[in-house]
Amino acid sequence: MPVDILALAAHRDDVEQTCGGTLLKMAERGHRTGILDLTQGEMGTRGSIEDRTREAAEAARILKVSWRLALDIPDGRVENTWENRLKVVRVLREQRPRVLILPYWEGRHPDHYTASILGYEASFLAGLTKLAVSSQLSALSDPPADDEATDSASPHRPFKIIYASLYRDVRPTFVVDITGQFETRMASLMAYKSQFTDQQAGSGIFPAQKEIRARVESMARYYGLLGGVTYAEPFVQKEVGLVEDLLAIPVKSI
Ligand SMILES: [Zn+2]
């Protein structure tokens, strides 16, 4: 069964931090949601890949996500290569999202902005009828061999691409009210126990749990304020907005 909304990000826990409340809200409205992590987190200071796999599954359960996969792209080395684009194409054709959430296309971490461009270009390629790629996600580490690809899922392009912009100080095009989802979203983040519980390893670079909560809350409050609600998550879309009824436009002007 296809997902309605797919969120793609470089690292496990990026989605929880930038658009987890929105994914939960959409799941609560009856939409099928999914998360594609490009890497497995092997460069993390804290915790093993196995820890992070378990934690990511638990976070997905908390956010009511229907489908989640981590690709095998090296952590800290997300590159916009042909091979990596094809890995994302396979997922897009298999999961067939109508809406794709990408990271914002500028940022401090190269993995984040590269994931954004990679996701966009893969979305374009995924719609090309003559591009045949094997649909076997289990064979992701095999180099793509176009002439052998007989088991190819049919072309699919997301209808809508939006960018989760929380990591970047840009003015969002719109925010999603997550007031009702905020606490559960926080719980999904805290499911990454190897990263976010107070411990000695890496304590110089990792803030304490109380501090993380304060930061996450102040960001959500700030974007909530912009939308006239308590907590919200920010997004950017490249297209203009389309309005049917002027009386239904939300967010007070004055
Ligand atoms: Zn990240």
Side-chain angles (χ1 to χ4, degrees), residues 199-229:
Q199 54 189 292
Q200 201 50 44
S203 59
I205 49 169
F206 284 85
Q209 195 168 337
K210 219 172 75 189
E211 172 65 14
I212 293 168
R213 191 189 160 89
R215 288 184 195 181
V216 169
E217 184 171 5
S218 54
M219 294 298 275
R221 280 247 179 210
Y222 169 69
Y223 290 111
L225 194 66
L226 295 184
V229 298

Side-chain angles (χ1 to χ4, degrees), residues 11 14 112 167:
H11 313 115
D14 282 346
H112 293 166
Y167 285 158

Side-chain angles (χ1 to χ4, degrees), residues 6-7 13 19 33 49 67 98 102 104 108 114-115 118 151-152 155 157 164 184 188 199-200 216 242 251:
L6 179 69
D13 83 22
C19 59
T33 59
I49 289 189
W67 181 90
R98 176 176 169 90
L102 294 178
Y104 189 68
R108 183 185 66 84
T114 307
L118 172 59
D151 185 22
S152 153
R157 224 170 248 163
T184 311
S188 79
Q199 54 189 292
Q200 201 50 44
V216 169
L242 176 68
V251 185

Side-chain angles (χ1 to χ4, degrees), residues 6 8 36-38 40 67 69-74 79 81-94 118 122 125-126 131 133-137 139-144:
L6 179 69
L8 177 156
L36 177 65
D37 307 303
L38 297 183
Q40 304 191 359
W67 181 90
L69 179 77
L71 293 180
D72 58 356
I73 295 175
E79 292 171 328
T81 60
W82 178 249
E83 191 189 352
N84 285 347
R85 269 175 261 156
L86 290 187
K87 290 178 182 180
V88 177
V89 166
R90 286 187 189 99
V91 171
L92 292 172
R93 287 185 175 181
E94 184 197 275
L118 172 59
L125 291 175
L131 178 71
V133 293
S134 161
S135 63
Q136 297 300 310
L137 286 175
L140 277 175
S141 51
D142 297 339

